[in-house]
Structure formats: C-alpha cells, structure tokens
Amino acid sequence: MASVWLVLVLWIFVNALIKVIQASSCAQIHTPASVVLAGSPVSVSCSIEDECPLTKGKDFRVAWKINNHFAPSNLSYQESNRTYGLIIPSLLDTDTFIQCAVCEGENCQIVNGVQVKARYPPPVPQNLSCSLNLTSKRFLCQWDPGQEMADLATKYTLHIFSVMSKKVLSYKYVIPVGKHFHLIPRESYPLLLKVEINVTAVNVLGNATSETLKLIPLETAMFDPPEINGIEADAVGCLNYSWSLGKSQQWLTIAISLELRLKTVNNRQNKELVVPFTKKPRSKLNVCDLFHGTNYSTTMRVKYSSLSKWSEWSEWSDPKIAATVMKAPSGSLDTWLKVDDQNAQLYWKPSENFRANGWNLFYTVESMEPKKILCVTQESHCFFNLIERVEKVYLRATNAAASSNHTEVPVYRNRGLGSVSCSSNVHPQSETSVEIEWGGTPTSLSVTGYVLEWRSLNEMPAAPLSFTLMDKNISSTILTGLRPYQPYEVSIYPKYDKGIGIPCTLVAYSIQKASSVAPVLNTREYSNERNGTIRGIQKKYIDIYIYIYIYIYIYIYIYIYIYIYIHVYIYIYIFRFITILYIQIYFYIFKLIAIYTVSATFASFHDWNEIRYGIEMMLFVIPACIGLSLLVFVVFACFGKHERVKMCLWPIIPDPANSSIKRWTTTDSMQGMPPFKEDKEPVLVYLSHFSLLDLDEKEPFKSDYVKENQWSHHIDSCDESHSSFQTCVRCDSELDRDSVPYATVLFDGPYQNHSSCPPPYVRSESTQPLLGADDPGSPPPYENVSPRGSVSKVQRFTAFPQNPTEENEELWEEFPMLRSLEITDTDHI
Amino acid sequence: MMGLCYCCNLVTLRIFFLITVAIMNFQAALLVTLVGIVASAPISDKLDIMNKDTIEQAHSLINKILQDIPTTHAAWIKSKSLTLGDSKARLELEFLKKDMYIPSAPVLQLISNNFSMETCLANITKGLQLHLNLLKEISNATTLAQTDQVKDLQAEIYELLLLIEELQNQAGFDPSKQASDEESQTPEHDLAKRLTNEYLTQVAAHLTLQQLQDFSCDILRSIHSMTSSLAENPNTVQLCVNKAGL
C-alpha cells in the first residue's frame, strides 16, 4: 500500500515538473531527422504555445534564423494557426543551427532551436586484401576504411562466397566497430577453389561496398622456401634439378611457378642467371646453355602462380653447388712473342671468345718442326730457347678434360724495322687509367697491327708484362686497371708482315688519388687543471675517485685497528699506548675528512686541487708513518726481551718513600732494574739534594747542602751480584728532641754513565720524618770523589760552588744534626 | 625335455616362416594391385571432358587429407591404445564398430566396365559425405573436446566433395540424383546417442579417422588412375602406402 502511495506521489511530482518545463518553453521545434544526407532538403516546424508570454495579446510574427542569419522569407511558411514551418531545399553545412524566433516589430526573441547535421554515406572501403598463412591457417582480410565520420558509427560486413558445382557457399561476418580486418575461420574458405570477397560499410545514411576480390585462398599464401634435393650434371652444359616444396606444402600437386637462380662460383665470368619455370612439384628441372666445367651455386623460390597478382615469392632456398661437365678449352689465345737471337719470350692471354671449360688449366708451348715441347706452365708467359729453323710455335690450353686447338704463333726474327714515331703522348685519364697516343710508321712498310705492352716499375719482384694487340688503324688507346700514380713503362711495338718494329717506350702515370686511409690521430691528454681535467680524469669522476680513496683508507684503518686490537690482547702492556695512538689516527682521519668536505664545498676547483693534493699527501704519509712505527713497535714488543722493554718504557724510580731515610736502601725498589753487566764501568748513584724540615716550627731548614759528588762511595763494598744502595742518616744526639724532623732527599745521577740502558728518570723526591737512629754506629768510611768531566755538567744544575768540600765540612759543622747522617753505600749500580 | 624344446623351436620357426610368406604374398598382391591400377586403368572418354586442373586440385586435396589425418588423430584422440594403422586393434574394435552402427565406406574399385567412372565418382561423393557427417556428429559429442585440426579436416573433406561434384558436373553425371540415391540408401544413423562416454567417443573418432584414411587411399588410387594418363607421380601412391601404415 505504501509503495502505491509512493508511486502516486512520484507521478504527481514528475507530471508537475514536466508542466513547469513546458510552461517555461514558449515554442516546440521539430525536425524529422537530426542527421540528414548532405544536400537533401530539411524541414523544421515551430509551434508556439498558447501560454507564451511573448505572444499573449500581442501582434507577433515568427522568424527563422539559420546559423544566426535570418532565413529568407520564401523558405518559411505557416502550417496552421500557431505552427510555422521552414524548408531548406539543400542542406550542405555539416552542422546547421536552426532557430525559431518570435518577433514583435523589430524586436525578436529566440524561443527554440535545433541542430541538424548533414552527413554522407560511408566511403567505399579501399585496398581490400587477404592473405593466407599456411602454417597458422589464418586467412586474414583487411581494408582501409577511408575518411570515416567520427560522430557517425560505421559498421562493416565481410562477405565471402563461392560457387562450385551449382552450390553457392556464402558467409557473412559483421565486424565490430573500429576494426578493419577479419580472420576468416577455416570452415568458411576453401584452399583451392575460387572465392569472392568484399566488404560493405554501413552507416545511417547509406552503405558502400568495396571492390570484390576474386581469388583462390592458396594463391595469397607465401610458400615456405623449397628445397633442392639434388643436382645432376647429366648432359654437357646442363644441370638437372630435383626439388620439393616446403613441408607444409608437400601435398600440393598442381603446377606452380618457380625460379632458379644460378651463379658461377669462383669464376671470372661471374654471371647470374634466373630461369623461370611452371612445374608440378617433384618434377625435374633442366637448365642448359651453361658454361662447361663451371661451379654453379643454385637457389630457388616458388609461388602459387606468376599470373596471379596476389601471389608472393617465397624466400630463396638454401644454395646448392654443382659443377657442369667439363669440355676441352675453346676459343683462341692472344699471344705476344719477343725473340732475341735464340731467346724467346712468349706472353699470352685469353681472348674474348676463350673459355676454359674446366679447371686445372695449363698451357703447352711446342714446335712442330722439330717436334718438341718447349714449355708447360700454368702461368701466362713462358721463356724458352729457339733454334734457327723454327718458324712457328704452337700454344694450346689443357684442362682436366682435354686440350684446346693449337694457337699458331709465327716467329719473327726481323727486328729493328721502322719504328713508331715516338711523339707519343700520355694523358692521365683517371686514377687507374691513362690514354696513350702514338704517331704513324714509315709508309714504306705495311703495318699489320700494334702491340702495346706495359709493366709496373714499382713492383718487387718485377711485375709480369701485360700486353694488348691492336688493329693497325688504331693510334691511341686507354690503359686501364693501373694503380694510382705509379710509374708504368709502356712500349708500343709496330707489327709488320715481315717482323716487329722498334718500339717507342715511355713512362706513364695515372692521376694521384687521395689517401684512402685517414691518418690515425694519437692523442694523449696531459694534466691541465685549469681546463678541468686532472691527469686525464674528468672532473665528474674526481668525486668518485675521492670516495674510493676514502673508502680504501677507512678500510685500511679498520683492518689495522682489528689487527692491533687483537695484538692488544696479546700484548696487554702496550694497550694504553695503542689507544692513544688510535685516538690520534682517528683524529687525523676526521680532520682530513672535514678538510675534504669543507674544501670540496667552498673551495674553487683550482684551489681545491691544491688542497686535494695536500690531503692526498697527508692521507698517504701520516698513516704510513704511524703504521710503520706501529709495526716496528709491535715487532719490537713481540720479539724484544720483555724485561728490557719494560725497563725502557716504565723504568722503576728509586723511591725514597719506601725506605726510611735513616736507613734508606733501594734494595727493594730496585728489583725491576735491569742487571748491569760487570764489564760496565761502575756507576755512581747520587744523592743530590737533602733538606730537613721541622714540622713543629713549620720552617724548613735551609739545608741545600748535599750535592752529588760530595758523597763518597765505598767502591770496595760493591757487590757483584746484588746492587743496592744504603744511606744511613745519623742524627746527632744533641738534636734529638721531641719534634720530628723531616728530610727531603733528592736522588739524581748523570745519564752519561749508563751507556747501555740508562734509567731515564733518576730523580726522586721524598719527604718524610727522620727517624731516630736504630743503630748509631760509626758511619762507614767514605771519601770524596773528585768531580769528573761528566759529572761537572750535572753540577750546573746545582746551586753549590765548584769546590765545596771545605764549605760542606763547615755546613756539617753548622748543622750538627746532619752529622748524624750516615750514608752507607753497600752497593752501587 | 630336449625333444620338447626342439619341437618348440620347430613350431616357432614354422610360424615365422608362415608369417613371412603371408607378408610377402600381401606385398606382392599390393604391388600387383598398384601396378594394375597404374598400368591398366581404362581411360574413360569422360576424362577428356573433365578439367585436368580440377582433377589436379582434387589430387592435391586428397594428399592434404591423407597428410592431415595422422595429425588430427594425434590431436583429437588421447587414448594410447588407439593408433592409426594398427591392424590388431582394428580387428578387436570390429564389434564396437558394429555396435555403434558406424557405417562402412562405399567400395571403390578399379574403373572398368563393371565399375564405371560415374559409379566411382558417386561412391567417392557418398563416402566423403558419410565421413563428413560422422566427423560432425562426433565433434558435436560433448565428451570429446573440439580441435582445430578436426575443423580443418572437415573443411578439406567438404572442399574435396565440392571438387568431385564439380567433376561429376563436368562429365555430365547427375550428382543430385546420386545424392538422392545415397540418402535413400543410407539409413539415418544416430551415432550421437551411442557416444555415452569419452572412451566410446574416442573409439568412434578413431574408427572414423581410420576408415577415412583407408577410404582416402582408395580415392587417391582412383584419382591417380585418372591422372596417370596426365602425369606420372608415383610419390603419391607411396605416400598412401606409408600413411596407411601398410
């Protein structure tokens, strides 16, 4: 029920809407067709609504506008009371806008309009063609649609029909819009029967049918290349071919067109021969009139029929080579015999009609009287001796089959007959030819001809002689086949009936030729930083190189780091040292990278290069030095004696703190000191400074009394095996009071005395309370040692006078407490 | 024991001998037949009327059909037990062939006084039409997938049929009369009903192709007897012998 209501409401709404729309429109315009055939008449009618406000109670007229121009009044008419019509007798414009206007006086208002299109029937499809693919069995037809109208859909229909044995086969295919080809399915076309095919284009205004093709589907197919199965040279000058079609056409038995193409192989007479046939497959093909004893390379191709315009030649087959039967050489040879007493030089060459007719050609020169073979050669010349009575020699060519007829060569012994007037001229004609002209001969002698001979003067070994025989009427000739601008010796011999005349000899050159090979330009690029290349490297590659450098360096650093890190565990003692070194290395790396980055960013190219070279140098040299020293260090650490290294690196300083100043000995703290060899000069250990403090009075004694060298040593008491130092400070009993005096002992010694491994730091300081003497015994005897040269240097550091022995004694007296000092030098280093 | 073995050997030898003799006889018979066809084919007067090109076209087409039957068989029939030219299988399937009412092809004989050119051409037409129908029916069976090769073969058979009818027209025979005869003679067979499963359809397809191959060889011989006077082409006979697997 609700749905019924809904429908009703909708209907009322739609109805009302339509009424509103109609009410808003003042006129209805109507034309029978919006698309018409171009040139056909068009009629339009316009009905003015009664409610139209433009017409209500007004005197109005209706005017027509065609493409914004008022239509001539003779075209319009009034159909009925409020309906007006317009007839355009022939519409030619493709798009025409026809408007209906209501006019009151001169004021016209357009009330409605319509667009009428003038169009044409489809153009006739052109170039319809079909082709059959024998492998895929696709029979494809295609055509050109011509100028189609975009807004008018054109449909195509392909018809294929054939009439055979009173039966008509007809198939029709509707082609989808936009396609201009069709694959005809196999069941719709025969292979060997004639079919007719056409295409019809249809649009709303008409249709057009293409020209009808009449063809046999097979004739549109391109055959596979045929195969030459065998060639027989059965008859002289003939070749007999057996052949077959390609595999997918072997079923064919009808006669087809084919062509044989023959080419001579390795023969001077390089001729091509194309022989057409129309033959059934598998029949024999016979080609005759070929050269004898010649290799022929043969290929063949086929097509359905040479009469059909649809047929296409197949590809050429693979070539097969066969030789024709040999025969004796035929034709004559041109000869040129030069006799000098008994020496004869015979040159020959094949004349135009000469045919070798075979291979393995050789020549025989012989004389008949006496019968003698003078020479046998494969060359084209021969030198031999001639005896007096020989008047003719004979030349014949022989191939593998037989010998040719003899060519007779008369022997002229008369030489030096009248010469050619040597006003010869040489005119270079081209790069390979020259024209030779020569003058006449003495009229007393009848010339029978001329011999022109020439040879290159520039060839090693001497070039063979070439010659040409010429008629007596000729007085100039053109030599061809010369090498550009090479000297040739040219001689013209006149031939008389009785002998040979004196030649005219000259040297001829052809025109120069430009070098055919361009010189190879070897270029080498030098470092030209200002032009943007560095050692032949272009700028764009430099950044890449830098990155590679940095990567390599970082890699090396990491490698070294890992190497060292491992060794750090092994040689744990040097760990701290390495760490410090590494911090330094990384500091360098980061500094360099920073320099690079900054310089690459801000420096100009030229400046940058300088920086780069600097960086490069630093990158190489500094890590190399560090690495090298590390290596030395590691090697040293590995292989050196541990004790000594340790002593060198961290020497043990005698520490007075560990001893009582009263009875101070270095015995304990000197454990780590390397034992010195006995052969060394005994070294003195010096107590350089001694001060006393009284903490109670908070006033130190001015007690810089004691100085090196002032203390004697008991050399006698030197223990060989054990080095110790004992100092006994004996306090005077008078000064033995409550306050605890402190004493500072400075321990010093000259470096020079320790040539092998001197303790680098031999100063030590200790301030501690002076204890009472445990065992106040008489001090051990001591003696002052006179200062030596080496010691004197050390004395400069002291504030004591050079010869303080007496002073010291006075001081001792002034400071009676010091008297109690007892220094016992049990041993020395 | 030894005696038994000896006996067995003897029996085997005899069997081999008999088989050899049988094969030789068969080959000899075939040779005689072929030579007979080639040598003693009577040249009908009608041959002069018939277009030699049409005969040659028919010759080409029957060659193509013979060439395409094995490829069609290979593409269409998947069962390995069904191979073309297998004489043993041919005997074994004799029952099914009768059971499915697959009609036999018409007999083609040498063209002679007893077997005229007209009869020969009529029988060829009849046989081609028969096989065309059979192939169509089997193709329509849903149990066997359609292949392009079958369509090609059908198109070729149909084209040959048209050519033979054309020959009949040229010779002045009445193909329509023959056709009506053939329709009256051939019972309406409804093979499709019997193709109940894929195997039976394959068997039917196999039997049809096998029979078509044999019949095509007969057609080739008949056509060859017509063309032998025109041009020698012994290869085609050899082709048929090969294709038939004889």
Side-chain angles (χ1 to χ4, degrees):
Chain A
M1 195 62 191
S3 62
V4 172
W5 274 112
L6 189 70
V7 169
L8 198 65
V9 167
L10 266 176
W11 182 79
I12 289 164
F13 176 73
V14 169
N15 231 10
L17 196 69
I18 289 166
K19 276 194 175 165
V20 167
I21 291 168
Q22 281 175 348
S24 69
S25 175
C26 216
Q28 296 291 321
I29 196 159
H30 175 260
T31 182
S34 62
V35 180
V36 295
L37 191 65
S40 59
V42 172
S43 69
V44 187
S45 66
C46 186
S47 334
I48 309 295
E49 302 287 334
D50 293 337
E51 290 84 17
C52 184
L54 294 172
T55 60
K56 262 186 182 169
K58 288 173 185 171
D59 182 22
F60 73 96
R61 60 186 176 88
V62 169
W64 291 94
K65 277 182 124 180
I66 302 168
N67 284 343
N68 250 355
H69 298 289
F70 281 105
S73 56
N74 59 348
L75 298 179
S76 57
Y77 62 97
Q78 186 163 11
E79 273 183 22
S80 62
N81 186 21
R82 293 180 78 89
T83 306
Y84 300 85
L86 174 79
I87 290 180
I88 303 169
S90 170
L91 190 75
L92 291 169
D93 288 345
T94 51
D95 289 297
T96 308
F97 292 92
I98 301 168
Q99 292 150 327
C100 172
V102 172
C103 300
E104 195 181 353
E106 290 302 309
N107 182 21
C108 289
Q109 290 291 320
I110 293 164
V111 286
N112 212 337
V114 72
Q115 184 188 2
V116 180
K117 296 173 180 174
R119 293 289 185 268
Y120 295 90
V124 176
Q126 300 290 323
N127 303 330
L128 174 64
S129 66
C130 298
S131 68
L132 176 68
N133 186 331
L134 280 172
T135 320
S136 63
K137 290 171 186 161
R138 286 150 66 111
F139 190 42
L140 176 74
C141 289
Q142 52 194 342
W143 58 93
D144 291 340
Q147 190 67 44
E148 283 182 343
M149 276 152 287
D151 53 354
L152 215 57
T154 309
K155 279 184 184 173
Y156 292 91
T157 316
L158 183 82
H159 302 269
I160 174 165
F161 50 94
S162 63
V163 181
M164 194 71 187
S165 71
K166 296 173 187 169
K167 282 185 185 173
V168 178
L169 303 173
S170 178
Y171 298 93
K172 193 194 253 183
Y173 297 97
V174 178
I175 316 298
V177 177
K179 271 173 80 180
H180 305 118
F181 62 89
H182 186 65
L183 275 173
I184 301 171
R186 177 67 186 92
E187 55 266 26
S188 314
Y189 68 91
L191 284 175
L192 296 164
L193 305 182
K194 188 162 266 185
V195 292
E196 296 186 9
I197 300 168
N198 63 33
V199 179
T200 307
V202 183
N203 67 12
V204 289
L205 297 175
N207 57 41
T209 303
S210 73
E211 202 181 335
T212 301
L213 289 184
K214 289 178 184 170
L215 47 82
I216 295 166
L218 191 64
E219 74 180 323
T220 65
M222 192 166 104
F223 286 25
D224 294 341
E227 197 180 342
I228 299 171
N229 297 325
I231 309 173
E232 284 174 48
D234 48 358
V236 173
C238 291
L239 289 173
N240 207 347
Y241 296 87
S242 56
W243 62 285
S244 59
L245 282 171
K247 210 177 176 187
S248 59
Q249 293 100 52
Q250 276 184 353
W251 50 274
L252 212 61
T253 57
I254 53 173
I256 54 164
S257 293
L258 48 116
E259 265 183 13
L260 283 180
R261 187 175 65 184
L262 289 88
K263 259 190 207 168
T264 53
V265 182
N266 300 331
N267 198 311
R268 261 183 247 162
Q269 298 136 335
N270 198 2
K271 283 185 180 174
E272 196 177 290
L273 194 69
V274 175
V275 194
F277 289 96
T278 300
K279 285 270 188 179
K280 287 186 177 185
R282 292 168 191 275
S283 56
K284 294 263 182 180
L285 305 173
N286 208 21
V287 182
C288 284
D289 294 333
L290 301 172
F291 294 124
H292 305 281
T294 306
N295 273 323
Y296 280 94
S297 165
T298 313
T299 58
M300 73 183 291
R301 61 178 183 177
V302 291
K303 69 175 179 179
Y304 180 82
S305 166
S306 51
L307 302 172
S308 158
K309 65 172 180 174
W310 308 109
S311 286
E312 252 185 282
W313 283 112
S314 70
E315 300 286 319
W316 289 101
S317 70
D318 292 336
K320 279 262 166 83
I321 295 174
T324 49
V325 175
M326 278 194 287
K327 212 180 107 179
S330 59
S332 63
L333 293 159
D334 286 345
T335 58
W336 169 227
L337 178 67
K338 290 159 84 177
V339 185
D340 181 15
D341 285 339
Q342 291 196 341
N343 299 323
Q345 296 177 17
L346 181 62
Y347 299 91
W348 60 87
K349 65 175 187 180
S351 66
E352 277 180 14
N353 64 355
F354 181 82
R355 297 277 176 272
N357 292 341
W359 39 91
N360 296 341
L361 202 66
F362 63 91
Y363 301 91
T364 312
V365 183
E366 55 198 335
S367 63
M368 292 301 173
E369 288 174 3
K371 199 165 176 61
K372 186 186 175 189
I373 291 175
L374 298 169
C375 65
V376 177
T377 180
Q378 289 189 320
E379 304 289 325
S380 59
H381 56 86
C382 174
F383 304 151
F384 49 89
N385 285 326
L386 264 185
I387 53 170
E388 277 294 320
R389 51 199 182 92
V390 174
E391 289 180 349
K392 279 177 184 173
V393 292
Y394 298 89
L395 174 68
R396 63 185 159 93
T398 310
N399 64 18
S403 286
S404 68
N405 294 330
H406 284 109
T407 302
E408 202 177 273
V409 187
V411 179
Y412 293 114
R413 291 176 196 280
N414 283 339
R415 298 195 70 193
L417 295 172
S419 69
V420 178
S421 81
C422 216
S423 63
S424 304
N425 284 314
V426 181
H427 308 291
Q429 291 281 311
S430 71
E431 290 159 352
T432 57
S433 62
V434 288
E435 188 185 11
I436 311 283
E437 273 182 50
W438 58 90
T441 47
T443 45
S444 56
L445 294 161
S446 57
V447 178
T448 57
Y450 296 98
V451 179
L452 185 76
E453 64 163 44
W454 71 94
R455 81 164 86 215
S456 169
L457 293 176
N458 229 8
E459 277 181 40
M460 293 299 289
L465 197 74
S466 306
F467 72 96
T468 316
L469 302 180
M470 276 171 303
D471 201 63
K472 60 180 176 182
N473 302 326
I474 293 171
S475 64
S476 74
T477 189
I478 294 171
L479 288 183
T480 55
L482 308 181
R483 294 169 66 188
Y485 203 60
Q486 295 286 315
Y488 281 87
E489 187 187 64
V490 183
S491 303
I492 302 118
Y493 289 84
K495 275 168 83 178
Y496 305 105
D497 48 359
K498 289 174 185 170
I500 310 286
I502 295 167
C504 166
T505 302
L506 38 96
V507 176
Y509 287 88
S510 58
I511 296 173
Q512 286 187 71
K513 190 188 171 189
S515 174
S516 56
V517 183
V520 180
L521 184 66
N522 281 318
T523 54
R524 186 180 295 171
E525 209 167 341
Y526 291 96
S527 172
N528 187 352
E529 289 153 8
R530 288 193 188 280
N531 290 340
T533 57
I534 298 166
R535 294 182 202 154
I537 303 166
Q538 287 181 9
K539 185 176 181 281
K540 60 181 176 179
Y541 295 119
I542 289 170
D543 287 346
I544 299 166
Y545 278 65
I546 292 294
Y547 287 129
I548 292 165
Y549 279 136
I550 289 171
Y551 275 122
I552 290 167
Y553 289 148
I554 290 172
Y555 176 78
I556 290 168
Y557 292 147
I558 290 168
Y559 179 78
I560 293 172
Y561 180 80
I562 291 166
Y563 180 83
I564 300 294
Y565 198 74
I566 291 163
H567 284 72
V568 153
Y569 280 98
I570 300 165
Y571 305 103
I572 194 73
Y573 311 106
I574 56 172
F575 176 75
R576 271 179 298 174
F577 181 64
I578 299 280
T579 312
I580 290 159
L581 266 180
Y582 265 86
I583 287 164
Q584 285 174 346
I585 288 168
Y586 282 120
F587 176 69
Y588 266 116
I589 292 167
F590 286 121
K591 199 168 80 177
L592 294 177
I593 289 170
I595 286 168
Y596 163 71
T597 315
V598 170
S599 61
T601 314
F602 298 107
S604 71
F605 185 62
H606 179 62
D607 297 339
W608 185 87
N609 270 311
E610 288 168 358
I611 292 166
R612 198 178 72 84
Y613 286 138
I615 292 168
E616 214 168 51
M617 182 86 101
M618 280 158 74
L619 286 173
F620 267 117
V621 173
I622 295 166
C625 290
I626 293 168
L628 199 67
S629 56
L630 264 177
L631 192 71
V632 169
F633 182 83
V634 168
V635 167
F636 187 61
C638 289
F639 302 107
K641 289 184 179 174
H642 281 239
E643 295 281 308
R644 184 171 296 183
V645 171
K646 208 159 81 177
M647 282 319 298
C648 284
L649 292 175
W650 296 285
I652 288 143
I653 303 150
D655 189 1
N658 290 338
S659 59
S660 140
I661 224 162
K662 169 82 183 300
R663 194 173 177 80
W664 177 40
T665 176
T666 57
T667 312
D668 296 329
S669 56
M670 295 293 276
Q671 287 296 329
M673 295 284 274
F676 294 102
K677 289 176 183 169
E678 305 88 0
D679 57 345
K680 292 281 157 60
E681 195 185 343
V683 181
L684 300 177
V685 176
Y686 303 96
L687 190 64
S688 61
H689 184 96
F690 185 82
S691 59
L692 287 173
L693 298 167
D694 191 349
L695 287 181
D696 288 352
E697 292 173 13
K698 302 289 186 223
E699 192 178 314
F701 287 92
K702 298 283 180 189
S703 56
D704 287 333
Y705 331 106
V706 189
K707 214 185 86 169
E708 59 261 32
N709 297 337
Q710 305 308 313
W711 303 95
S712 63
H713 301 268
H714 299 270
I715 297 160
D716 316 0
S717 62
C718 251
D719 196 302
E720 297 292 329
S721 59
H722 177 71
S723 294
S724 68
F725 180 78
Q726 277 189 342
T727 306
C728 179
V729 178
R730 194 173 61 186
C731 297
D732 199 349
S733 54
E734 291 173 20
L735 292 168
D736 201 8
R737 42 187 174 177
D738 291 335
S739 62
V740 180
Y742 282 77
T744 297
V745 178
L746 271 181
F747 190 78
D748 202 352
Y751 306 116
Q752 293 85 344
N753 290 344
H754 308 280
S755 56
S756 60
C757 185
Y761 308 105
V762 287
R763 274 178 81 91
S764 179
E765 196 171 333
S766 171
T767 303
Q768 57 180 266
L770 274 176
L771 304 173
D774 293 326
D775 183 19
S778 62
Y782 66 90
E783 63 177 89
N784 285 339
V785 179
S786 65
R788 283 177 292 185
S790 58
V791 177
S792 65
K793 289 175 189 170
V794 182
Q795 283 174 339
R796 284 180 211 143
F797 297 106
T798 67
F800 295 99
Q802 285 295 318
N803 201 357
T805 317
E806 289 173 17
E807 262 184 49
N808 281 348
E809 280 174 9
E810 286 168 21
L811 283 169
W812 280 112
E813 284 172 7
E814 277 180 32
F815 295 96
M817 192 185 76
L818 287 174
R819 287 185 190 159
S820 65
L821 274 172
E822 179 193 343
I823 295 167
T824 309
D825 192 4
T826 54
D827 201 348
H828 75 272
I829 301 159
Chain B
M1 192 63 189
M2 284 291 286
L4 193 63
C5 275
Y6 180 72
C7 265
C8 281
N9 281 342
L10 260 185
V11 168
T12 320
L13 272 177
R14 280 185 72 177
I15 288 167
F16 275 129
F17 177 73
L18 283 174
I19 289 169
T20 316
V21 167
I23 289 170
M24 282 173 71
N25 277 339
F26 182 69
Q27 282 180 344
L30 181 69
L31 193 68
V32 167
T33 316
L34 295 183
V35 168
I37 290 168
V38 173
S40 67
I43 300 163
S44 164
D45 294 340
K46 297 287 181 188
L47 266 181
D48 300 335
I49 311 168
M50 288 195 281
N51 190 338
K52 293 173 184 65
D53 286 348
T54 315
I55 298 174
E56 212 51 77
Q57 284 174 342
H59 189 177
S60 294
L61 269 180
I62 195 67
N63 276 346
K64 178 134 182 72
I65 290 167
L66 276 167
Q67 193 182 308
D68 284 354
I69 286 171
T71 50
T72 310
H73 192 278
W76 204 19
I77 294 151
K78 304 293 174 197
S79 172
K80 284 176 185 168
S81 61
L82 303 169
T83 49
L84 271 181
D86 186 352
S87 50
K88 195 184 163 200
R90 203 183 291 201
L91 291 172
E92 283 176 352
L93 292 171
E94 203 59 46
F95 172 76
L96 272 182
K97 190 184 173 187
K98 279 182 187 147
D99 193 46
M100 285 192 283
Y101 293 108
I102 294 174
S104 294
V107 179
L108 292 181
Q109 290 177 3
L110 283 175
I111 297 165
S112 65
N113 292 335
N114 299 330
F115 194 77
S116 66
M117 173 77 87
E118 189 173 8
T119 322
C120 179
L121 291 178
N123 278 5
I124 291 174
T125 318
K126 213 159 83 179
L128 288 175
Q129 191 63 56
L130 168 72
H131 287 98
L132 205 57
N133 291 342
L134 283 173
L135 287 176
K136 198 177 165 188
E137 280 197 57
I138 298 165
S139 296
N140 288 340
T142 49
T143 42
L144 202 59
Q146 279 263 31
T147 64
D148 287 345
Q149 282 88 347
V150 182
K151 282 185 191 168
D152 293 357
L153 192 64
Q154 281 174 297
E156 283 154 17
I157 294 169
Y158 187 64
E159 196 179 343
L160 181 61
L161 188 66
L162 290 179
L163 280 169
I164 301 293
E165 284 178 2
E166 178 65 24
L167 282 176
Q168 284 175 315
N169 283 332
Q170 287 168 4
F173 308 138
D174 187 1
S176 58
K177 182 172 159 278
Q178 296 292 330
S180 61
D181 283 356
E182 142 204 337
E183 269 169 27
S184 60
Q185 283 165 14
T186 315
E188 196 62 43
H189 52 268
D190 41 4
L191 180 62
K193 281 180 194 166
R194 293 178 181 83
L195 305 177
T196 49
N197 63 26
E198 195 184 342
Y199 176 73
L200 286 178
T201 318
Q202 291 209 10
V203 168
H206 166 74
L207 288 171
T208 306
L209 286 179
Q210 179 68 69
Q211 188 171 281
L212 177 64
Q213 192 180 44
D214 298 344
F215 184 65
S216 299
C217 276
D218 289 344
I219 297 172
L220 179 65
R221 285 188 198 110
S222 302
I223 289 175
H224 194 261
S225 72
M226 296 176 207
T227 57
S228 58
S229 57
L230 306 168
E232 284 296 331
N233 199 345
N235 292 321
T236 45
V237 177
Q238 188 61 41
L239 180 83
C240 187
V241 171
N242 287 341
K243 296 291 173 192
L246 298 173

